[in-house]
Every structure is written in structure tokens, then in C-alpha cells.
Amino acid sequence: MRANIERVIEGKPDVVSSTLVVLLAEGHLLIEDVPGVGKTMLSKALARSIDCSVRRIQFTPDLLPSDVTGVSVFNQNTREFEFRPGGVFANIVVGDEINRASPKTQSALLECMEERQVTVDNTTYGLESPFMVIATQNPIEMEGTYALPEAQRDRFMARVSVGYPVEAAELAMLDSHTGSNPLDDLEPVTDAAEVQKLTGIVGQVYVSEAVQRYTVALTAATRRSEELTLGASPRATLHLVRAAKAMAAIHGRDYVLPDDVHTLARPVLAHRLLPSVEAAMSGRSTSAILDGVVASVPVPEGNRA
């Protein structure tokens, strides 16, 4: 899967690895970056690498919650209401420019992202497994956008930024992308059943008590920081451990190291935190504050901690 995605996204191995970690940890991914760096291309490449159902939702200001979850329509022939599924009824849901929809529409994703189900007209519909939401947003352009609510951000396991490519990768992109769209030649390399099997393996990865205590200490330190008005939630602690288990499995280990937790702290925690007024006025970014918090927590010693 990694090699397949890198046929389209060149020179970004860390971003591709983070994407696979979120997939195997059964989380959701937020890709945040400036226009034109390949956010949608990355999400489509992952979706096409898996032989499963994929739906793309273009978030716009006029998008309604029923467009996302589905709606009950009256059938004139049967004289009964029939449920017509919305865009979230798929294994991989690509939400493009998620911050262009109103908070009312964004909230339609809350139940399905956390509970893997959708409730419409007092009827609950389960979603297929695996289920993953990959959303993109542009943090620069603020015209016609709505900031993601804290409850929405907290449901994304990780946030990654693609960033600008290095010169060699950009030159290679000119060769591979100008003649044809590389996504057209991308074939699935696995299916939903295989992904489910892999997530089952990830669930069996061992996490020692020392690593668990280290993870809790990290998230607790963000709640005590004077530079943050909102620290990491218990859900963030859970997501950090699940992501660390996926990273350990990808590296061929059946146990989690403190380094796994340390490496994933920024992508998993940074987007959930809110800086204090004083920190924001002094120009301190959330990532910089988080780096200081992580550095202040002692790392447990030992190969398997």
C-alpha cells in the first residue's frame, strides 16, 4: 500500500506512513495544508489502493446534513418512506475542504466518526468495517470557511500536513503528472477484508504499563500547561496508544516503544489543543507549546519499557 501511494505522492514517506498508521489504528485523518500540495491526491490514492467502497463528499456552504447522513424519501408506489443513504455509507469517505461547510453540516459527521453508525428519523444504521474519514482543509484561506468545532477536531486521530515537495520530487512530478493522471493507473493492492485482518493484528500489539503511564503523563501535562486553555482529552490518550500500536506493527514489532508514542505526539495531539490568549499574542504556535510539554515529561527507559 505504501509503495502504491508513493507512485502518486512522491518524496513524502513520513506523510504516507502517518496515513497508514491512522488506517490500521481504525482512526480518521485530517490533512491540513495550503492549496495545490496534493491533499486530495493523497486521500484518493489511499482510497484507490483498497478494493472497497469509496465516496467523495465535496463540502460546500450549501451542503445539508441529510446530504451526508442520508434522508427518508416517500415512495408513491409503496406508500412508505424509504431511506436513501448519504455520502458516509462507504468504507473510505473523502471529505474535501471540510471547513467550507457550515458547523450544522459538519456535525453530521460526529456520530458516524465516533460510533460507526448513523441515526436518521429514530432509526440507527450501522456502517461497514473498515470505516475511515479522510478530510482535507485549507488553513490559509479564511473567506467562506468555518473553523472546525473542537468536538469535530477531537474525533480525528491525527492531523498531517503534506508540505511542499523537494526539488527532485517536484521535477519527477512534472514527468509523471503532465502526460496523464497517475491516479488513473492506480490499481487496488488489498481489500477491505485484508485491512480488517491487519487492524485485528494491530489490536494484539502489547503496550506495557510504563508506556501507558508515559502516554497518560503526556496528555495530563497538556491539561496543566499554563500556555494552553484546552488540553488533550481522554479520547486523545486512547488515540495516541492505538496509533502507537499501529506504528509498532508497521515496523514489525509486537510491542510499543516509548519512541512510538513520542513520535506520534505531535500529529495526534497538536490539533486538539487551544493556546491561551497570552501564548497566542506572543506568537507561540500550538505545535511549539506541545513540543515543550513533551520535552518536560521523562521518557521511561528500557527496550520494552
Side-chain angles (χ1 to χ4, degrees), residues 2-265:
R2 187 204 307 269
N4 210 42
I5 295 171
E6 288 181 345
R7 290 172 55 193
V8 177
I9 305 297
E10 301 183 33
K12 296 294 177 182
D14 294 340
V15 175
V16 176
S17 294
S18 298
T19 303
L20 294 180
V21 163
V22 175
L23 172 67
L24 298 183
E26 298 184 280
H28 308 289
L29 181 66
L30 178 63
I31 308 173
E32 182 180 273
D33 217 321
V34 296
V37 294
K39 300 188 298 294
T40 307
M41 190 77 78
L42 172 61
S43 57
K44 281 186 173 182
L46 174 63
R48 293 200 181 192
S49 296
I50 306 170
D51 187 12
C52 62
S53 56
V54 179
R55 287 196 177 182
R56 183 177 186 271
I57 305 173
Q58 183 65 55
F59 282 80
T60 55
D62 60 346
L63 191 73
L64 298 175
S66 58
D67 297 327
V68 177
T69 59
V71 64
S72 296
V73 178
F74 186 72
N75 189 319
Q76 294 284 359
N77 297 326
T78 61
R79 312 296 295 177
E80 293 179 349
F81 281 95
E82 294 179 353
F83 177 67
R84 294 189 178 175
V88 296
F89 283 84
N91 294 117
I92 305 290
V93 178
V94 180
D96 200 23
E97 297 280 354
I98 189 174
N99 57 335
R100 292 202 175 276
S102 66
K104 177 177 70 174
T105 302
Q106 291 178 21
S107 65
L109 288 169
L110 296 181
E111 181 185 11
C112 67
M113 289 178 68
E114 180 64 21
E115 301 171 50
R116 304 295 203 273
Q117 65 184 31
V118 172
T119 303
V120 178
D121 295 336
N122 296 324
T123 303
T124 300
Y125 304 90
L127 297 174
E128 296 179 27
S129 182
F131 174 71
M132 181 181 184
V133 175
I134 310 171
T136 69
Q137 74 167 355
N138 172 13
I140 303 299
E141 187 180 355
M142 294 302 157
E143 185 176 347
T145 62
Y146 303 84
L148 289 185
E150 284 77 12
Q152 180 79 67
R153 291 204 308 268
D154 198 49
R155 279 166 168 78
F156 285 104
M157 177 172 283
R159 180 187 65 184
V160 299
S161 296
V162 179
Y164 292 114
V166 296
E167 187 174 333
E170 197 162 5
L171 283 170
M173 181 194 71
L174 295 180
D175 284 334
S176 60
H177 288 58
T178 52
S180 62
N181 188 347
L183 282 173
D184 296 338
D185 300 325
L186 214 58
E187 296 291 335
V189 294
T190 187
D191 55 21
E194 187 71 15
V195 172
Q196 278 186 287
K197 180 182 176 182
L198 293 173
T199 56
I201 293 172
V202 167
Q204 298 172 12
V205 172
Y206 173 73
V207 184
S208 67
E209 183 181 351
V211 173
Q212 291 179 11
R213 290 183 178 278
Y214 176 57
T215 308
V216 172
L218 283 179
T219 53
T222 64
R223 301 165 197 160
R224 295 191 301 266
S225 174
E226 295 182 355
E227 293 186 286
L228 297 170
T229 57
L230 179 65
S233 66
R235 183 194 284 127
T237 309
L238 180 62
H239 282 182
L240 187 53
V241 170
R242 282 165 50 186
K245 290 171 73 172
M247 175 168 276
I250 285 176
H251 286 93
R253 283 183 276 108
D254 61 355
Y255 57 92
V256 174
L257 292 174
D259 282 349
D260 298 323
V261 177
H262 187 276
T263 301
L264 290 164

